[in-house]
Amino acid sequence: MKKYNIAVIGGGGREHAICAQLKKSPRTDNLYCIPGNAGISGICTCEKLSVFDFDGIEKFCKANAVDLVFVAPDDPLAKGLVNFLTEKGLRAFGPTREAAQLESSKVFSKAFMQRHGIPTAKHRSFSDYSEAERYLLEADMPIVLKADGLALGKGVLICEDRESALKGLKELMLDGKFGDAGSNIVIEEFLKGREVTVLAFCDGNTVKCMPSSQDHKRAFDGDKGLNTGGMGAFAPSPYFTRAMQEELMNKIALPTVNGLKEEGIIFKGVIYFGLMMTATGLKVIEYNARFGDPETQVVLPLLKTDFVDIVNACIDGTLDSLDIEWEDFTALTVVVASGGYPENVVKGYPVEIGDTRDVEIFHAGTAFDAQGRLVTNGGRVFDVTATGRDIAEAREKVYAQIDKIRFTDARYRKDIGLV
Ligand code: AMP
Ligand code: GLY
């Protein structure tokens, strides 16, 4: 059996879950993570390089006989890390820069959906401020404004009324609040409904969906407060029916992969479908070109099939002949965040983790300080994860253990899985 030396690029909770799953595979030989974090260093070798140091990553991989590079985060994908590594003769998992535009440009992805009849919110794209302003003066409210480029999930403004829409437009297009990302914008219809995420493996031709999941994006209980990267998640979503799975495959997933192919783009990697269940059917809110965070932390623990086999099938274009099996239970994760997250993150607080049971703790933002103590190193610090027969059982396990993680100003939502 061929074994692989694998390097995972990234260093959050998602990468911890990816490394944990790769580690389980008998096909994994040496496992590396660049840059990783304190928790990840407990299961593999971490190398402190920037995810944007393409030359450094190439050198490291060649020096360590890495034969598979797994690129997890959006930024290096959008900047073409997979193109670069492939040109240098390395085997890399993830979409090319061109394919990653599904996520990196909202103008591209909205126009793409329109060209291929993929259901999404009605929209208009603008690069001229006065034109956008004129449009807003007539449009129905609420309305949604989106900056074109990657803006760390913050480039989306949901505006209840005309006044806040006009103010938001000014911030995006004139004040440069999101830098270059705001010079082109999308204005779109506000969709009502429950959100669901479906991740799918794709080899350029075949697309295979993973179990659905639901993220909780707002900072506080009851879906209050600012949008964050995600404060918790569960999978599968009991609201996502079998009929919706078919609708997703036929009206969204296949048209996406086939549409890309028609345009000369071969998507290999993971497509993230961010969906709204509306009264008139499923609509795409956004595509991402990668695993979600924290959705990955609840989806991958359900995977039965060898993860390395799936990654290879995506690269080799053989996904159609691989049967992917999933466990029949529910996983739930709750993020333990720094007090000020998402606005003011203080790092460097010492962490104590008591004796936990029945949960898996993925590290999202941790490091070792100069004295070798475990300290906080990000806004989202831990993802406390458990599995159970249903959401209630998984919830019970997580919340029974979560207070054993202690650091100054630690905070978490108490309603993950309830809303
Ligand atoms: P996005 O970065 O496009 O996923 O947007 C971030 C969040 O804003 C989504 O997860 C939704 O909760 C919300 N959102 C984005 N677009 C819309 C829309 N057209 N209607 C309602 N909510 C939206
Ligand atoms: N949890 C949302 C994302 O990964 O984009």
Side-chain angles (χ1 to χ4, degrees):
M1 182 174 60
K2 167 141 178 73
K3 288 192 152 208
Y4 293 82
N5 293 327
I6 306 177
V8 174
I9 309 298
R14 166 183 54 203
E15 287 75 15
H16 197 172
I18 288 169
C19 287
Q21 197 66 28
L22 291 170
K23 181 102 184 153
K24 282 188 201 157
S25 167
R27 288 195 178 278
T28 302
D29 201 350
N30 294 314
L31 186 60
Y32 303 96
C33 191
I34 301 172
N37 63 36
I40 298 174
S41 73
I43 58 170
C44 65
T45 309
C46 291
E47 177 71 13
K48 274 216 172 69
L49 282 173
S50 156
V51 299
F52 301 116
D53 181 0
F54 289 11
D55 290 323
I57 292 172
E58 180 203 354
K59 262 199 211 111
F60 176 84
C61 290
K62 291 191 169 160
N64 290 281
V66 166
D67 25 38
L68 184 55
V69 188
F70 188 122
V71 185
D74 51 357
D75 262 343
L77 288 167
K79 293 203 159 70
L81 180 54
V82 168
N83 307 58
F84 174 85
L85 293 173
T86 309
E87 278 159 25
K88 301 290 179 187
L90 286 157
R91 186 175 170 79
F93 175 78
T96 58
R97 181 196 299 112
E98 296 70 33
Q101 283 181 96
L102 270 194
E103 170 169 9
S104 63
S105 167
K106 301 239 186 241
V107 171
F108 172 86
S109 70
K110 293 298 290 193
F112 171 82
M113 287 187 266
Q114 203 166 31
R115 284 198 290 281
H116 298 281
I118 296 166
T120 185
K122 286 198 214 69
H123 83 288
R124 290 270 308 268
S125 297
F126 294 92
S127 52
D128 181 73
Y129 173 76
S130 331
E131 238 178 82
E133 187 186 35
R134 267 200 305 280
Y135 179 77
L136 280 185
L137 288 171
E138 304 282 317
D140 290 337
M141 298 292 137
I143 201 151
V144 183
L145 311 183
K146 298 188 176 185
D148 181 40
L150 296 176
L152 296 171
K154 293 179 206 130
V156 174
L157 301 177
I158 313 260
C159 307
E160 296 298 332
D161 51 45
R162 211 170 306 281
E163 193 189 338
S164 57
L166 290 168
K167 182 166 161 269
L169 182 72
K170 191 167 161 295
E171 285 174 1
L172 278 177
M173 292 194 87
L174 296 185
D175 307 343
K177 197 166 174 189
F178 301 100
D180 284 348
S183 52
N184 294 307
I185 64 153
V186 167
I187 300 185
E188 70 177 35
E189 162 200 17
F190 176 76
L191 298 174
K192 272 205 242 17
R194 178 180 281 277
E195 283 185 60
V196 63
T197 299
V198 179
L199 305 170
F201 292 110
C202 186
D203 71 353
N205 291 300
T206 302
V207 53
K208 292 204 170 168
C209 292
M210 304 181 217
S212 61
S213 53
Q214 185 185 312
D215 181 11
H216 295 66
K217 288 206 171 81
R218 300 294 197 95
F220 299 109
D221 283 17
D223 282 338
K224 301 257 165 40
L226 292 174
N227 254 335
T228 69
M231 295 298 290
F234 56 84
S237 164
Y239 309 100
F240 192 68
T241 62
R242 202 165 272 277
M244 288 182 196
Q245 287 172 31
E246 270 175 41
E247 183 184 340
L248 168 63
M249 185 52 83
N250 298 325
K251 297 205 169 139
I252 296 171
L254 286 174
T256 298
V257 177
N258 293 334
L260 285 171
K261 223 166 47 176
E262 275 170 36
E263 299 187 12
I265 296 175
I266 303 299
F267 192 106
K268 295 184 174 195
V270 170
I271 307 186
Y272 171 123
F273 298 100
L275 305 169
M276 190 74 90
M277 305 174 190
T278 77
T280 54
L282 292 177
K283 299 209 167 144
V284 176
I285 301 172
E286 64 161 346
Y287 290 114
N288 290 325
R290 53 168 173 85
F291 271 106
D293 189 343
E295 289 93 332
T296 305
Q297 291 87 309
V298 288
V299 170
L300 282 184
L302 306 180
L303 181 61
K304 281 209 260 187
T305 306
D306 190 312
F307 195 28
V308 177
D309 284 343
I310 303 176
V311 167
N312 278 321
C314 290
I315 299 175
D316 295 333
T318 55
L319 202 53
D320 60 335
S321 56
L322 187 71
D323 205 17
I324 303 180
E325 289 184 278
W326 300 93
E327 302 283 2
D328 193 18
F329 44 67
T330 293
L332 184 134
T333 193
V334 178
V335 172
V336 184
S338 301
Y341 180 68
E343 286 184 297
N344 302 305
V345 173
V346 181
K347 299 180 184 178
Y349 289 129
V351 181
E352 235 182 276
I353 304 180
D355 183 18
T356 57
R357 59 187 79 140
D358 296 335
V359 290
E360 186 156 11
I361 299 173
F362 297 121
H363 290 224
T366 61
F368 292 115
D369 69 5
Q371 289 83 46
R373 291 177 310 176
L374 182 67
V375 296
T376 65
N377 193 38
R380 295 188 288 180
V381 186
F382 295 98
D383 309 304
V384 184
T385 311
T387 54
R389 282 187 308 272
D390 51 22
I391 290 179
E393 194 182 71
R395 254 182 68 79
E396 223 165 89
K397 288 185 189 168
V398 169
Y399 285 108
Q401 304 296 316
I402 199 163
D403 287 329
K404 293 186 180 165
I405 294 183
R406 291 199 202 98
F407 57 88
T408 306
D409 293 337
R411 183 174 73 72
Y412 57 86
R413 274 182 64 164
K414 302 197 171 50
D415 62 348
I416 301 302
L418 295 182
V419 286

